[in-house]
Amino acid sequence: MSAASANEMWGGRFSSGPDAIMEAINASVGYDQRLAPQDIAGSRAHAAMLAACGIITPEDAAAIDAGLVQVGEEIARGEFTFSPALEDIHMNVEARLREIIGPAAGRLHTARSRNDQVAVDFRLWVRDQCDAAIAGLDALMRAFVAQAEAGADWVMPGFTHLQTAQPVTWGHHMLAYVEMFARDKARFQDARARMNECPLGAAALAGTSFPIDRAMTAAALGFERPTANSLDSVSDRDFALEFLCAAAICATHLSRFAEELVIWSSAQFRFVRMSDRFSTGSSIMPQKRNPDAAELLRAKLGRILGATMALFTVMKGLPLTYSKDMQEDKEQVFDAADTLMLGLAAMEGMVRDLTANRAELEAAASAGFSTATDLADWLVRALGLPFRDAHHVTGALVKLAEDQGCDLPDLSLDQMQSVHGQITEAVYSVLGVQNSVASRTSAGGTAPENVRTRVAHWKEVLG
């Protein structure tokens, strides 16, 4: 496109075309073309409203609508040529519309600015991403629930500080992530509800003198209502920030489990075996089986945290209303959304294919004095010791077992009574890991019966 034709978009305000460097820094169509479906949907709704309000003729509205449909089809087929000289998706669409239907295309921008146009396009796109994230989380949660159901009574070590703490069940561990991802889903749902207001009609920043019907365009685009303040409408990017914050927390949860998979699949742990679909080999060490998918996911999710901080940095110093800085909002959100959806899909696949090594899990649960707390609790219940005294006695028994090179259940009754003379044979009933997990029946505890109840709950919720 020539400088002269590019200048026509600006109504003759400038006498010379943009410098190549300015064009490069100013143009956004290289990435905001992703907003094409939303841009066309918003424009079709706007044109229909203009005609309904008598602002443009029905004939012009029909021509605009048909032309926009054609533009959308050309873009979908990959036949559309995007021009950086036209800066963004909005001007590219409008220029092609003019080529198709002629001067009537110029009426489309009546009572509208690129400021409210991009605000509605971007909001529609982010709303769609919330829906996609919610669907992805549902699928991932189902995968974790399936693992929990299969291993409701499988015993494994529970950790604090990555040190063996107390026995828990595999199902309970899997359900911990279901709870996390359920909160993530709720955050996306909340964010979607808050962003579901339509900024179209705010125009550049002050509204318009044309007798438009903002409620009509809001309804046509699936919004609950129009936004209430024109200044806020064009300057708000809270919806994008909130999406990124929800995505960042979700990414943190995904990364935590990815880290566990890396640890658990190692030769030192052997808790799980990841499927061939999500593992790779070594170019030099034939015995290696690397959890590359989990490692890559752990790294890629950091991009979401970076995108969140980047957009906060863009927005933190902007006065009302629109500033060109805000053009830098989209690439960060696009990349974060892509990364999140890849992460959700990859993790769902890894969890569904995951094979837990039940024997290794139980062996590890039985090691490291994992039933020491059960012993202390028994001393309180059976002997009436204050818990701090019971804690001291248990510590002495753990030291004795360490000195003997055995675990607590392997100590003889005489050895136990050498530490506290009132200990009886009944103590052995609480020292097995199966007995330990079965006893943890408090609300939210790891007992298999609790796990099965919670599995049933989530299966009903998720359908």
Side-chain angles (χ1 to χ4, degrees):
M1 173 169 285
S2 68
S5 58
N7 286 340
E8 290 174 7
M9 303 303 294
W10 294 105
R13 172 65 179 82
F14 297 96
S15 59
S16 62
D19 183 276
I21 295 175
M22 180 59 191
E23 181 176 292
I25 197 172
N26 193 47
S28 61
V29 73
Y31 51 85
D32 70 12
Q33 60 187 260
R34 291 184 67 164
L35 298 176
Q38 290 78 19
D39 193 69
I40 289 169
S43 291
R44 292 182 70 189
H46 184 67
M49 179 274 295
L50 292 176
C53 294
I55 298 170
I56 64 174
T57 66
E59 293 76 18
D60 281 345
I64 288 169
D65 191 74
L68 287 169
V69 170
Q70 180 177 333
V71 173
E73 290 172 346
E74 290 175 1
I75 293 173
R77 291 194 300 265
E79 299 170 357
F80 191 96
T81 301
F82 292 97
S83 169
L86 291 172
E87 296 186 14
D88 56 33
I89 183 61
H90 322 299
M91 283 191 165
N92 271 265
V93 169
E94 186 175 331
R96 177 59 181 142
L97 182 65
R98 182 179 286 271
E99 291 175 354
I100 296 171
I101 70 170
R107 302 190 187 280
L108 174 59
H109 214 53
T110 307
R112 186 178 73 170
S113 163
R114 281 196 298 176
N115 291 356
D116 63 336
Q117 187 179 359
V118 69
V120 74
D121 291 0
F122 197 23
R123 197 175 287 236
L124 285 168
W125 192 90
V126 174
R127 191 179 69 180
D128 288 344
Q129 298 310 301
C130 285
D131 291 338
I134 289 165
L137 282 163
D138 277 343
L140 178 57
M141 290 162 68
R142 290 189 190 99
F144 273 102
V145 169
Q147 284 283 351
E149 185 172 29
D153 58 358
W154 299 358
V155 182
M156 66 175 289
F159 297 97
T160 60
H161 310 279
L162 202 55
Q163 305 295 314
T164 299
Q166 293 176 262
V168 297
T169 52
W170 172 261
H172 197 54
H173 197 111
M174 296 297 101
L175 289 178
Y177 282 95
V178 176
E179 298 292 336
M180 292 183 211
F181 293 124
R183 293 194 297 272
D184 292 327
K185 176 181 174 181
R187 274 184 279 270
F188 284 114
Q189 290 171 324
D190 290 347
R192 189 195 194 284
R194 249 184 305 281
M195 72 180 64
N196 206 27
E197 296 181 342
C198 184
L200 194 59
L205 77 162
T208 178
S209 59
F210 289 96
I212 62 173
D213 184 349
R214 292 190 64 206
M216 179 180 174
T217 48
L221 295 170
F223 289 104
E224 288 292 325
R225 63 189 71 83
T227 51
N229 183 287
S230 61
L231 299 171
D232 179 57
S233 299
V234 298
S235 62
D236 169 40
R237 292 299 183 270
D238 288 0
F239 63 92
L241 286 168
E242 193 165 4
F243 170 79
L244 287 175
C245 288
I249 298 172
C250 183
T252 301
H253 294 152
L254 288 167
S255 188
R256 291 183 74 177
F257 192 66
E259 170 72 1
E260 293 200 311
L261 289 178
V262 172
I263 294 170
W264 290 353
S265 61
S266 68
Q268 288 70 34
F269 273 73
R270 294 181 295 182
F271 283 4
V272 300
R273 181 179 176 85
M274 295 179 64
S275 74
D276 291 346
R277 293 201 307 151
F278 295 101
S279 304
T280 65
S282 166
S283 62
I284 190 172
M285 296 169 284
Q287 84 282 7
K288 292 293 293 300
R289 191 179 166 79
N290 299 325
D292 280 10
E295 292 173 347
L296 285 167
L297 191 57
R298 187 175 56 184
K300 283 181 179 293
L301 292 168
R303 296 164 66 149
I304 299 176
L305 304 179
T308 305
M309 184 53 65
L311 186 53
F312 270 113
T313 304
V314 167
M315 297 302 300
K316 70 175 181 60
L318 299 186
L320 295 181
T321 56
Y322 181 84
S323 296
K324 194 70 169 181
D325 311 51
M326 293 166 68
Q327 184 169 291
E328 290 298 302
D329 56 1
K330 296 169 200 64
E331 280 186 288
Q332 310 291 344
V333 179
F334 291 162
D335 185 75
D338 291 346
T339 302
L340 178 66
M341 292 312 301
L342 176 62
L344 289 171
M347 187 59 81
E348 182 202 353
M350 283 187 275
V351 173
R352 287 203 178 278
D353 288 2
L354 191 64
T355 302
N357 188 335
R358 184 177 182 179
E360 290 288 346
L361 289 169
E362 184 158 352
S366 301
F369 311 107
S370 65
T371 56
T373 304
D374 298 274
L375 173 56
D377 290 346
W378 181 87
L379 293 169
V380 172
R381 286 194 311 270
L383 305 185
L385 270 63
F387 184 80
R388 284 301 169 201
D389 292 349
H391 186 283
H392 179 78
V393 170
T394 301
L397 289 167
V398 167
K399 185 178 186 307
L400 176 60
E402 282 182 325
D403 292 342
Q404 297 296 317
C406 65
D407 205 349
L408 285 171
D410 302 318
L411 290 173
S412 69
L413 182 58
D414 287 342
Q415 287 173 315
M416 289 197 179
Q417 288 177 340
S418 71
V419 174
H420 194 287
Q422 293 181 303
I423 295 176
T424 69
E425 193 79 32
V427 72
Y428 293 101
S429 66
V430 301
L431 294 182
V433 291
Q434 294 288 353
N435 292 332
S436 175
V437 296
S439 71
R440 305 293 173 179
T441 56
S442 60
T446 191
E449 63 183 85
N450 288 11
V451 172
R452 292 188 177 99
T453 298
R454 200 64 182 159
V455 163
H457 163 80
W458 282 116
K459 288 176 74 172
E460 181 178 355
V461 168
L462 294 169

